[in-house]
Amino acid sequence: MTLRRLHRLSALLLAAFIAMHLANHVAGFWGQESHRTIQQVLGSLYRHPVIEPFLLALITVQMATGLRMALPRLRHLIKRPNWQRAQIAAGLYLALFLAIHIGAVMAARFQGAETDLAFAATAFQAGGLWPLLFTAYYGLAVLALATHLAAAIAAKHPTGARLLLGAGFALSIALPLLLSGKVTPISIPPAQIAAFPLMP
């Protein structure tokens, strides 16, 4: 099996988890309790002792194959078509985001913290530059995911690619607004906010 096929196969297998994860966040627009309720239902599936290691393995395969294909292409990136450049750039950011995000979530769970909507939103109430940094962190992740997927289908389905990119752009704005508490109030334990180091 080629790297490209392995990359696409792992992406297809991850699609259900990604859809559930994003749907869980969208549920947050109806309130913190709605997000928690759906997370408990979905979490019983993707946190199952058999399924979770499989998901982590798929994500590792996705990152490894993506990086293996992308890095050699960086030398001639400027000469590539726009969609290919966008796909490579988005893929590299997604690899960085996943490494940080999964590491943070697993570390928090190891310490007994609940990785719910409040966990994701904590930095937005930490003061200083944290809200700005995490707006970019989450917003770019959503936009990169949409861009990476849109680029993969752009040649055969250009209209679908543009619609996907538009939806990703809208969610990349809406999600940080949700996490900042501007859509619905999010209750976060003060000690959790205080754990963030002070920043100007």
Side-chain angles (χ1 to χ4, degrees):
M1 182 179 291
T2 65
L3 278 176
R4 184 180 297 277
R5 287 184 178 178
L6 183 58
H7 188 71
R8 289 186 174 181
L9 176 61
S10 62
L12 288 172
L13 293 173
L14 280 170
F17 168 71
I18 293 171
M20 287 192 295
H21 193 64
L22 289 177
N24 196 179
H25 281 306
V26 170
F29 288 93
W30 282 268
Q32 193 169 0
E33 193 57 40
S34 295
H35 181 279
R36 182 180 292 109
T37 300
I38 292 179
Q39 185 179 43
Q40 288 173 349
V41 174
L42 297 179
S44 65
L45 296 174
Y46 59 73
R47 290 186 182 181
H48 188 278
V50 174
I51 296 177
E52 184 172 58
F54 179 66
L55 281 173
L56 291 174
L58 280 177
I59 292 170
T60 302
V61 169
Q62 181 75 186
M63 292 170 61
T65 54
L67 289 171
R68 180 65 183 83
M69 290 188 295
L71 293 178
R73 291 175 168 83
L74 291 178
R75 182 180 299 178
H76 304 292
L77 186 63
I78 196 68
K79 298 179 181 179
R80 295 185 177 277
N82 290 338
W83 274 118
Q84 285 188 20
R85 280 184 285 169
Q87 186 176 35
I88 292 170
L92 290 174
Y93 181 77
L94 281 174
L96 175 64
F97 174 83
L98 287 171
I100 296 171
H101 192 62
I102 293 173
V105 168
M106 298 305 288
R109 285 174 54 190
F110 180 77
Q111 296 169 9
E114 184 60 49
T115 53
D116 54 6
L117 192 64
F119 172 80
T122 301
F124 288 85
Q125 295 190 25
L129 293 175
W130 288 116
L132 181 62
L133 289 174
F134 271 74
T135 293
Y137 172 71
Y138 282 115
L140 285 175
V142 173
L143 187 58
L145 176 63
T147 301
H148 199 65
L149 295 175
I153 66 171
K156 293 183 178 180
H157 307 285
T159 301
R162 288 192 292 271
L163 289 172
L164 183 57
L165 196 57
F169 181 75
L171 188 56
S172 74
I173 295 173
L175 183 59
L177 288 175
L178 169 67
L179 295 175
S180 63
K182 291 181 171 60
V183 177
T184 183
I186 299 177
S187 176
I188 304 173
Q192 197 165 298
I193 298 173
F196 271 78
L198 295 176
M199 182 181 285

